[in-house]
Amino acid sequence: MDTFDLLATIIKVVIVFVTILVTIIILGLAERRVSGFMQYRLGPNRVGPWGLLQTVADGIKFLFKEDIIPDNVNRPIYLLAPVITMIPAFMTFAVIPFGVPLEIAGHTVKLQVADINIGLLYILALTSVGVYGLVLAGWSAGSKYPLLGGLRSSAQLISYELAMGLAIVGVIMVSGGLTFNEIITHQQATSWNFWKQPLAALVFLVAMFAETNRLPFDLTEAEQELVGGYHTEYSSFKFLMFYMSEYANVITASGFMVCLFFGGWDMPFIDEKALGHWGVVLSVLAFVSKVGFFLFLYIWVRWTFPRFRYDQLMRLGWKVLLPLGLVNIFAVGLWMALRA
Amino acid sequence: MSNIQSLTYFLPELILTSSAMVIILTDVFFRGRNRNRLIWLLSLVALGIAAIFLLLQTTPPDAIFYGALAVDPYSRFFKWIFLLATVVIYVVSPYSRELDNNPRHEYYLFMLLVVFGLFLMASALDLIIVYLSIEIVSIGSFVLAGFLKQERLSNESSLKYVIYGALSSGVMLYGLSLLFGIAGSTNVFDIQAALSGVPDKAHLTLAVALLLVLTGFGYKIAMVPFHFWTPDVYQGAPTTITAYLSVAPKAAGFALALRILGITFGSSPDMNLGEWLPVEGLPFGTLIAIFSAATMTVGNIIAIQQSSVKRLLAYSSIAHAGYMLMAAAILNAQAVSAIMFYLAVYLFMNLGAFLVAIFIHNRYGYDEIEEWKGLGFQAPAVAVAMGIFLFSLTGLPPTAGFVGKVYLFSVLIEAQQFWWLAVLGVLNSVVSLYYYMRILKAMFLDSEPTGERISGHPALSGTILLLMIPVLLFGVYWSPLMNLVRSSLEFFSPGM
Amino acid sequence: MTTILFYLFSALLLGAALFVVLNRNPIYSVVGLVFAFMNLAAMYFLLEAYFIGVLQVLVYAGAIMVLFLFVVMLLNVQPDRPHPGLIHPDRWWFGIMALIFVSLFLLLIGQGVRALLTSPAEDAAGMGSVADVGEALFTSFLLPFEIASLLLTVALIGTVFLAKKKV
């Protein structure tokens, strides 16, 4: 790997990391303001113009709060759990492409931090590892509400991983490859996967909501029931880490959804690659706007549906989504076999 | 050959698996009161159809599924043994009182799946299939051994079986992976070819791999020192399952071990059964002979002290595995045919003995030798049958057991090796006479005739008497069986 | 570069494995095992077996070990109490036997493996990608694949049968 590539990768990593952090900040504010508008009130608009610095103020508040570590926690695991949650949350975005390759100074720079040949599976693997953060956080707190919340949460996560994986299989089958570039290129050549496999898109969407612990599947952090779920005993910066990881997961999930079913950086009827630098800008804008729409969708759904009970949630994951995913795979396979 | 073409050769197994699926669905959707009977009937029908397809399979030896399974007379012979054992157990199971208040439909389902695993064991040619088939049989047996969920003994036996089985499977898998690493392929014929090119320094690795694989096989056939699970599992499991476990998986283990080890470490690639290929520092024949001696002796000596007949029969089955291993020390055609003959005969006599134990258990609920007292007068036909089974297990003429033992001994004598082993075998047979005759004594000599009569269900008694017939018949006229064995001695080999 | 990484990951793997076995707290052991599997996956990546490596993380470290963790937590397995006298009385015997056994084993296997490395075994290059594994899995290894699924079915039904309360 020559120095140019090395430099480009480092810059990409920095850009992606910073962008995620900034998006988290904006998302935190957007969530509160949009929720406010949906509930016919204004939401926080005092700090900074239109309340833009609200999340920054929140961050400062968290930093200055007293960092309480209860007596009966299991210290090493208690301190390790937020780290285990946060690392996969930020790592997952590495394989998501956010634009067409950029041509600079004779080199092609892919707008994707790492283009590995197992693409999709990387994200699935990291989400599987992210479960540990929750379950260890819940257990190490040494109290029954976090333990219950942690166990329920991880059971929910591993159940919906299955549905998520099955929904993806249909997409992989038609795209002929695991890497994101293959999937997006295929969607560019034919139509978006959403039109062709709406069932898979729906299953994937529901699974994503469950994977990120967002309403209507957030019973593990339900304030009304479990105090705070797995992050009850955490305060100050460690709580902030859980908070940020959740938003990072939401952003990655939206990016994932966009790339798989909505064409990624592709604008329909436009061939971005042919437009050179303007094509790059256009593709990045397209990606950002699509992801933005899904972030809005996350907030919108939050205040639209009531929370699922635990048994309803498990039933949905295993008895509804899993068979639907299998039906989708079967249908896609049948279609591919008949076409060939 | 390709996968689609292979399916036509795979019909018996396909019938078994598809009927298992049908039974699972029936189990879920059918809620009538006769569910157990219905599933029993379905399973028997499935076994019957599989038997018919097996009968119709007369093709020359071939390998299917890209060389993973062999379809040859050798595997067919063993599949018949499995089917016969399974049908006998199926016929008897509804009438075993031990299984009352338990979900029999699960029992039938698991036996069907275990039979599938046994079929695979008999035809395996690929290390992966070896492992998978052993696991299917093991896991099915774990569940069947723990079938009586209310009985502590049954739970204990299942737990011990699980732990021991998992450990042995792990060790065997490690050996298989070393073997794969040495040879570069999982197909036994490729391994056999690669072994000739192994550099000298790696012979020790090869020997270690061989020992580890032998551990796994030894666990399946209950060879000493891998036999420790047998008495507890056999005692705790329902008697029908014990009967099945003592015959079918043992036969499958022998079929698998003989084929896999014979091909990999035999001196000729087409299983024409020469001698064991000497691996450096490991005289394999002598090793098997030592295991055989240990197995026979341990089995017989510990059986002397048993008062529970089930446990006694468990140790006796260990001893019988030892007798068969005697012939396995010399791997030639005569040896393999002797083992196959003995397994067929052993099927009849061992199942018969266990069925009589079920008979006693139905009546008394226990199977200590005390319960057997006076059986000679209370149920004469059954007691006489048991007497014949016991004579056959000891190896006295004119029963089939005697003929089988003669064949096993003659292998050693004609090869003119391991004289000490043959002598030890005879001594062990004499020792076994003691504990078998203890049962006979209890049945006929230990109490006065009281005029009381016990009768079991006609299916149970009928099967016992039916099993007695081959034991007697093959004691005087055994050439049909021997001819069947000799004609089944064809193995698939890549040269064909 | 690869050699350095190999030694690094193997050292971490062995360290994690020793930690799993020697530690008194079962939760720490499970976390240690997860870490060991991650290092194992890293070594798979070094061998260019990308598919197996990511499957190791996805299935083994991500699903099976979570179940281990569940069981340990739900059974509330307590850490072992230390022996009186703070260190196990038979530690010298254990140590010596372990050392003899391990070194003997390594000698036997290692010598053989090194001897085999010089023999002509073809390097199965290019077999690590998903396409290659998929092709092998659906042609020559289709039967083991299907039988493995049957094995899992048997285990699943058996476990539910053994564990459920009402007959």
Side-chain angles (χ1 to χ4, degrees):
Chain A
M1 211 164 68
D2 58 18
T3 40
F4 185 84
D5 286 329
L6 193 60
L7 202 59
T9 312
I10 294 178
I11 295 180
K12 273 188 287 188
V13 168
V14 170
I15 290 180
V16 165
F17 192 69
V18 167
T19 314
I20 294 184
L21 283 177
V22 169
T23 317
I24 291 177
I25 293 178
I26 301 180
L27 189 58
L29 169 72
E31 169 140 35
R32 296 170 71 164
R33 292 226 71 191
V34 172
S35 315
F37 288 137
M38 287 188 182
Q39 295 170 349
Y40 205 53
R41 58 182 172 89
L42 280 180
N45 58 357
R46 303 281 172 180
V47 188
W50 295 303
L52 279 176
L53 295 178
Q54 176 67 38
T55 322
V56 177
D58 277 338
I60 298 178
K61 172 195 78 172
F62 275 120
L63 280 175
F64 279 111
K65 269 195 175 177
E66 182 186 353
D67 189 49
I68 307 176
I69 300 184
D71 263 342
N72 55 343
V73 301
N74 185 318
R75 273 222 178 186
I77 308 251
Y78 180 82
L79 296 175
L80 195 61
V83 176
I84 299 182
T85 313
M86 206 161 138
I87 294 183
F90 280 88
M91 270 177 78
T92 348
F93 206 87
V95 288
I96 297 184
F98 43 90
V100 279
L102 179 65
E103 305 274 340
I104 297 187
H107 291 253
T108 315
V109 175
K110 286 201 195 140
L111 288 190
Q112 184 185 17
V113 174
D115 186 21
I116 48 185
N117 65 351
I118 46 171
L120 277 181
L121 293 182
Y122 171 83
I123 298 189
L124 289 182
L126 280 179
T127 23
S128 303
V129 173
V131 175
Y132 283 105
L134 297 188
V135 91
L136 289 175
W139 175 83
S140 67
S143 133
K144 57 178 181 286
Y145 289 117
L147 179 64
L148 219 54
L151 286 177
R152 277 189 182 178
S153 190
S154 34
Q156 170 189 333
L157 284 185
I158 54 180
S159 311
Y160 281 85
E161 261 169 34
L162 275 172
M164 185 168 78
L166 285 181
I168 295 178
V169 170
V171 169
I172 299 177
M173 280 166 80
V174 292
S175 314
L178 274 181
T179 60
F180 276 107
N181 285 316
E182 278 168 346
I183 296 176
I184 297 180
T185 321
H186 171 85
Q187 288 183 78
Q188 203 182 17
T190 54
S191 58
W192 288 357
N193 282 331
F194 175 69
W195 311 122
K196 288 184 299 191
Q197 298 184 36
L199 185 60
L202 186 61
V203 169
F204 187 76
L205 189 66
V206 177
M208 274 332 235
F209 273 94
E211 281 289 316
T212 47
N213 270 328
R214 293 282 296 188
L215 263 154
F217 301 110
D218 75 338
L219 65 95
T220 60
E221 346 172 306
E223 286 83 7
Q224 296 90 328
E225 292 169 12
L226 284 174
V227 185
Y230 58 88
H231 52 67
T232 312
E233 301 284 350
Y234 284 90
S235 52
S236 170
F237 200 69
K238 296 196 263 319
F239 177 75
L240 188 63
M241 286 171 88
F242 278 117
Y243 193 69
M244 285 202 299
S245 326
E246 179 176 325
Y247 280 139
N249 275 329
V250 167
I251 297 172
T252 313
S254 307
F256 203 15
M257 178 84 184
V258 161
C259 285
L260 282 182
F261 290 101
F262 286 88
W265 39 249
D266 175 50
M267 262 326 215
F269 312 118
I270 300 179
D271 183 15
E272 283 87 358
K273 293 210 178 83
L275 290 180
H277 285 219
W278 286 114
V280 174
V281 172
L282 196 59
S283 62
V284 173
L285 275 178
F287 181 78
V288 167
S289 53
K290 288 184 210 174
V291 171
F293 170 71
F294 276 96
L295 293 179
F296 172 68
L297 188 70
Y298 264 95
I299 305 172
W300 190 9
V301 166
R302 180 178 185 170
W303 300 108
T304 315
F305 295 104
R307 185 176 289 133
F308 270 68
R309 226 173 40 225
Y310 185 63
D311 61 309
Q312 291 171 333
L313 187 147
M314 289 312 235
R315 192 166 60 86
L316 182 70
W318 288 96
K319 287 195 187 174
V320 176
L321 290 186
L322 195 64
L324 282 181
L326 290 173
V327 161
N328 179 65
I329 296 179
F330 188 65
V332 171
L334 205 61
W335 176 72
M336 284 178 78
L338 290 176
R339 216 170 44 118
Chain B
M1 67 174 68
S2 82
N3 288 330
I4 303 290
Q5 283 176 302
S6 305
L7 284 178
T8 42
Y9 294 90
F10 201 51
L11 279 174
E13 289 89 346
L14 281 182
I15 298 288
L16 289 175
T17 36
S18 41
S19 51
M21 296 301 135
V22 167
I23 289 177
I24 294 178
L25 287 175
T26 319
D27 209 356
V28 172
F29 290 115
F30 184 80
R31 289 279 155 197
R33 280 182 11 169
N34 290 329
R35 188 165 54 160
N36 290 337
R37 273 286 162 169
L38 176 65
I39 291 184
W40 180 77
L41 220 58
L42 279 176
S43 329
L44 271 183
V45 165
L47 287 171
I49 300 181
I52 294 177
F53 277 119
L54 198 58
L55 206 58
L56 294 176
Q57 226 178 37
T58 47
T59 52
D62 210 344
I64 54 176
F65 290 112
Y66 294 95
L69 292 180
V71 180
D72 52 13
Y74 177 74
S75 61
R76 274 203 281 278
F77 177 79
F78 279 102
K79 289 178 190 178
W80 278 116
I81 291 186
F82 304 144
L83 278 177
L84 205 53
T86 317
V87 168
V88 168
I89 297 295
Y90 261 94
V91 165
V92 167
S93 297
Y95 311 109
S96 165
R97 296 242 178 85
E98 234 175 341
L99 299 175
D100 285 345
N101 304 323
N102 280 300
R104 283 178 202 259
H105 47 94
E106 310 268 4
Y107 174 96
Y108 300 133
L109 170 67
F110 276 108
M111 280 196 71
L112 216 54
L113 291 169
V114 169
V115 172
F116 174 71
L118 292 172
F119 272 35
L120 286 180
M121 273 175 85
S123 354
L125 278 182
D126 190 288
L127 294 185
I128 304 181
I129 304 279
V130 166
Y131 174 70
L132 286 175
S133 55
I134 290 186
E135 278 305 297
I136 293 184
V137 174
S138 297
I139 292 185
S141 314
F142 297 160
V143 179
L144 285 172
F147 185 69
L148 304 174
K149 297 206 302 190
Q150 317 294 333
E151 300 284 328
R152 240 167 169 214
L153 266 181
S154 188
N155 296 337
E156 176 194 338
S157 79
S158 182
L159 184 63
K160 285 186 179 169
Y161 203 177
V162 168
I163 295 179
Y164 204 89
L167 181 62
S168 311
S169 295
V171 170
M172 178 179 76
L173 201 55
Y174 190 48
L176 289 177
S177 65
L178 282 178
L179 212 53
F180 168 69
I182 293 174
S185 161
T186 51
N187 188 302
V188 284
F189 294 111
D190 294 343
I191 297 178
Q192 209 272 345
L195 283 189
S196 49
V198 168
D200 282 334
K201 281 227 191 90
H203 272 196
L204 217 44
T205 314
L206 192 57
V208 170
L210 179 56
L211 280 177
L212 293 176
V213 173
L214 202 57
T215 307
F217 292 161
Y219 143 76
K220 212 64 205 149
I221 60 180
M223 182 172 82
V224 168
F226 312 115
H227 71 289
F228 290 101
W229 59 275
T230 314
D232 294 311
V233 172
Y234 281 23
Q235 187 184 17
T239 320
T240 42
I241 295 300
T242 311
Y244 190 64
L245 287 182
S246 69
V247 172
K250 211 184 278 277
F254 268 105
L256 183 66
L258 286 177
R259 195 204 284 270
I260 299 290
L261 294 176
I263 295 179
T264 336
F265 296 101
S267 59
S268 73
D270 54 353
M271 197 63 177
N272 251 339
L273 306 169
E275 293 179 326
W276 292 104
L277 189 71
V279 180
E280 178 190 282
L282 200 65
F284 201 64
T286 320
L287 189 65
I288 299 281
I290 296 177
F291 277 139
S292 161
T295 311
M296 285 193 281
T297 320
V298 164
N300 279 316
I301 293 195
I302 304 190
I304 294 179
Q305 306 163 355
Q306 300 306 317
S307 64
S308 154
V309 173
K310 260 167 86 169
R311 232 174 139 85
L312 187 150
L313 286 176
Y315 277 110
S316 97
S317 71
I318 296 181
H320 282 281
Y323 297 136
M324 287 190 268
L325 281 172
M326 263 195 323
I330 318 258
L331 195 71
N332 55 18
Q334 196 186 7
V336 176
S337 61
I339 295 180
M340 285 162 77
F341 184 86
Y342 198 78
L343 277 170
V345 163
Y346 175 71
L347 166 91
F348 295 118
M349 54 191 187
N350 215 23
L351 275 184
F354 270 111
L355 287 190
V356 180
I358 296 177
F359 185 87
I360 297 283
H361 197 103
N362 275 352
R363 175 75 171 86
Y364 291 107
Y366 294 105
D367 67 331
E368 303 289 312
I369 291 196
E370 283 71 51
E371 321 303 345
W372 292 65
K373 285 199 179 125
L375 188 67
F377 307 104
Q378 293 164 342
V382 171
V384 166
M386 184 64 179
I388 294 183
F389 294 135
L390 290 172
F391 276 131
S392 185
L393 284 168
T394 320
L396 296 174
T399 58
F402 169 70
V403 178
K405 284 226 171 91
V406 166
Y407 273 118
L408 288 176
F409 284 123
S410 65
V411 168
L412 286 178
I413 295 176
E414 293 201 21
Q416 302 195 349
Q417 285 188 334
F418 302 124
W419 297 104
W420 56 275
L421 192 57
V423 170
L424 196 58
V426 174
L427 286 177
N428 270 305
S429 302
V430 173
V431 169
S432 69
L433 183 67
Y434 167 69
Y435 58 82
Y436 287 132
M437 290 307 121
R438 257 176 68 205
I439 305 180
L440 203 60
K441 167 172 164 294
M443 284 198 299
F444 285 101
L445 298 178
D446 260 354
S447 62
E448 298 302 315
T450 53
E452 182 193 348
R453 291 285 203 198
I454 312 179
S455 62
H457 196 277
L460 187 54
S461 328
T463 319
I464 294 177
L465 294 175
L466 264 180
L467 285 175
M468 182 179 72
I469 297 178
V471 175
L472 280 177
L473 184 65
F474 292 135
V476 287
Y477 179 57
W478 64 86
S479 33
L481 187 57
M482 202 53 191
N483 289 336
L484 178 64
V485 167
R486 291 226 173 92
S487 68
S488 303
L489 214 52
E490 255 182 280
F491 300 87
F492 166 76
S493 73
M496 296 186 169
Chain C
M1 181 62 184
T2 320
T3 329
I4 299 178
L5 284 178
F6 171 74
Y7 281 121
L8 173 68
F9 287 129
S10 334
L12 285 176
L13 178 60
L14 286 174
L18 278 174
F19 179 75
V20 169
V21 175
L22 296 176
N23 199 286
R24 286 206 300 265
N25 191 328
I27 299 275
Y28 290 174
S29 295
V30 171
V31 175
L33 195 54
V34 174
F35 183 60
F37 286 145
M38 297 293 210
N39 284 298
L40 191 56
M43 291 176 68
Y44 279 132
F45 285 125
L46 278 180
L47 282 174
E48 297 189 18
Y50 305 116
F51 189 53
I52 303 291
V54 83
L55 277 187
Q56 173 85 8
V57 177
L58 181 56
V59 173
Y60 222 136
I64 297 181
M65 293 310 297
V66 173
L67 288 180
F68 270 58
L69 204 54
F70 267 34
V71 170
V72 172
M73 284 182 185
L74 287 175
L75 289 182
N76 204 18
V77 184
Q78 296 299 329
D80 280 343
R81 268 185 238 109
H83 286 262
L86 210 59
I87 305 182
H88 199 280
D90 286 332
R91 61 189 183 279
W92 293 115
W93 282 119
F94 285 168
I96 295 176
M97 294 303 294
L99 210 60
I100 293 179
F101 181 71
V102 168
S103 41
L104 204 62
F105 200 67
L106 285 179
L107 213 64
L108 289 179
I109 306 295
Q111 236 193 9
V113 169
R114 203 174 320 136
L116 284 166
L117 283 179
T118 54
S119 68
E122 315 91 62
D123 186 26
M127 274 302 289
S129 70
V130 184
D132 295 324
V133 174
E135 190 175 329
L137 206 55
F138 281 99
T139 49
S140 21
F141 289 100
L142 182 61
L143 183 71
F145 181 58
E146 297 296 333
I147 293 180
S149 70
L150 193 71
L151 175 62
L152 288 174
T153 310
V154 174
L156 192 60
I157 301 179
T159 315
V160 174
F161 167 70
L162 282 180
K164 68 176 182 177
K165 248 194 161 162
K166 207 164 63 101
V167 181

